[in-house]
Amino acid sequence: MNGPEILIDFAPDLALFVPHERRGRATTAVTDGASSLGHVVESLGVPLTEVGALVVDGREVPAGHVPAAGQRVEVRCVPRPQRVRPDEQSPEEPLRFLLDVHLGTLARRLRLLGVDTAYESTDIGDPALAARSAAERRVLLSRDRGLLRRRELWAGAYVYSDRPDDQLSDVLERFAPPLRPWTRCTACNGTLRAATKEDVAERLEGGTRGTYDVFAECGDCARVYWRGAHHERLQSIVRQAVAASEGTVALPPG
């Protein structure tokens, strides 16, 4: 870029994305006089999925605003909880998510909490992920900054941590999705339903048939669930998530 200079100041929470010399203070940036402010911000490292408001000389402007010489720009981070595309999403329609190949554990935990979560276990490529986000109106969660800059995304969000516990807490705090624990299949995202032992007997090993009496099965992939060896660990995840969301813990179907 070789044109008008602006003064730009990034919110502290966006420091991860910008060079050290731009952190904690306003710095100058040279524009080309034609590109939008959104393009300028992304060229400096910040995906627009992480930007809550762009304020120019004290007035909020859209990402399409073309900055003029001498303008002072404040780049704010998204508010929490974040409303995603309120103009396109009805209040009755809960958020749905799409996770890339690197977030399998987070996907299973969101499903455990009853959050509609699609997940690609193989790398289908950035264009296909972005297209699915748009086609299914899902919020794409990723740690890939380049992926989050794709224009065809319906909505997206950067996952700030590489630790599943912190990832889950961050997503729940940011989007506050309704939680319905124990209602989704952690393997395929299908809906769980109660099942009798007789319904699923042929899919159980002998020890399981003799030890457990309460079961659930997925209506899509027919996977069977019961309160097995990992139940207490999963219950702990559910309790912590629901407590943080100020809800009540639902009893597991199995």
Side-chain angles (χ1 to χ4, degrees), residues 33-62:
S35 294
S36 69
L37 182 55
H39 176 78
V40 174
V41 168
E42 288 200 319
S43 73
L44 296 174
V46 181
L48 288 183
T49 59
E50 307 312 296
V51 175
L54 297 168
V55 179
V56 174
D57 294 338
R59 177 175 61 89
E60 187 171 338
V61 300

Side-chain angles (χ1 to χ4, degrees), residues 176-206:
L179 304 184
R180 299 181 63 242
W182 314 104
T183 61
R184 286 193 176 272
C185 176
T186 57
C188 79
N189 197 43
T191 302
L192 297 184
R193 60 193 178 199
T196 66
K197 184 181 292 190
E198 291 73 20
D199 292 334
V200 299
E202 294 183 356
R203 284 171 275 164
L204 303 176
E205 296 183 358

Side-chain angles (χ1 to χ4, degrees), residues 3-236:
E5 284 192 357
I6 62 173
L7 197 63
I8 191 164
D9 188 10
F10 292 96
D13 287 346
L14 298 175
L16 168 70
F17 303 103
V18 297
H20 286 278
E21 61 270 18
R22 292 191 182 277
R23 299 177 183 178
R25 63 189 181 91
T27 57
T28 58
V30 179
T31 72
D32 62 8
S35 294
S36 69
L37 182 55
H39 176 78
V40 174
V41 168
E42 288 200 319
S43 73
L44 296 174
V46 181
L48 288 183
T49 59
E50 307 312 296
V51 175
L54 297 168
V55 179
V56 174
D57 294 338
R59 177 175 61 89
E60 187 171 338
V61 300
H65 170 82
V66 177
Q71 288 188 329
R72 183 179 181 116
V73 178
E74 179 186 355
V75 183
R76 298 176 181 174
C77 52
V78 292
R80 297 189 176 214
Q82 179 183 355
R83 295 184 64 193
V84 178
R85 300 281 183 97
D87 55 323
E88 297 182 13
Q89 179 128 348
S90 70
E92 295 78 20
E93 184 181 354
L95 281 181
R96 303 192 300 168
F97 295 93
L98 170 63
L99 278 61
D100 70 16
V101 67
H102 304 292
L103 298 175
T105 300
L106 176 59
R108 289 188 292 273
R109 292 189 179 189
L110 286 170
R111 290 170 176 175
L112 174 67
L113 296 171
V115 178
D116 189 338
T117 305
Y119 165 67
E120 294 292 347
S121 60
T122 57
D123 189 355
I124 64 173
D126 290 1
L129 280 171
R132 183 173 182 185
S133 166
E136 300 180 11
R137 294 161 58 94
R138 291 182 181 272
V139 180
L140 177 64
L141 303 181
S142 178
R143 286 178 53 78
D144 183 339
R145 304 178 195 185
L147 173 56
L148 294 174
R149 293 191 183 105
R150 298 194 70 91
R151 291 291 177 262
E152 61 268 42
L153 284 180
W154 181 72
Y158 184 74
V159 176
Y160 286 80
S161 175
D162 58 4
R163 299 182 65 251
D165 288 348
D166 295 336
Q167 291 174 346
L168 181 63
S169 296
D170 183 41
V171 171
L172 296 182
E173 178 193 8
R174 178 166 176 172
F175 294 102
L179 304 184
R180 299 181 63 242
W182 314 104
T183 61
R184 286 193 176 272
C185 176
T186 57
C188 79
N189 197 43
T191 302
L192 297 184
R193 60 193 178 199
T196 66
K197 184 181 292 190
E198 291 73 20
D199 292 334
V200 299
E202 294 183 356
R203 284 171 275 164
L204 303 176
E205 296 183 358
T208 302
R209 283 197 301 270
T211 305
Y212 301 98
D213 297 308
V214 180
F215 298 91
E217 64 178 339
C218 175
D220 290 350
C221 73
R223 184 184 179 98
V224 180
Y225 290 84
W226 61 91
R227 296 176 181 175
H230 301 296
H231 178 71
E232 286 303 319
R233 180 177 62 85
L234 298 178
Q235 183 72 290
S236 176

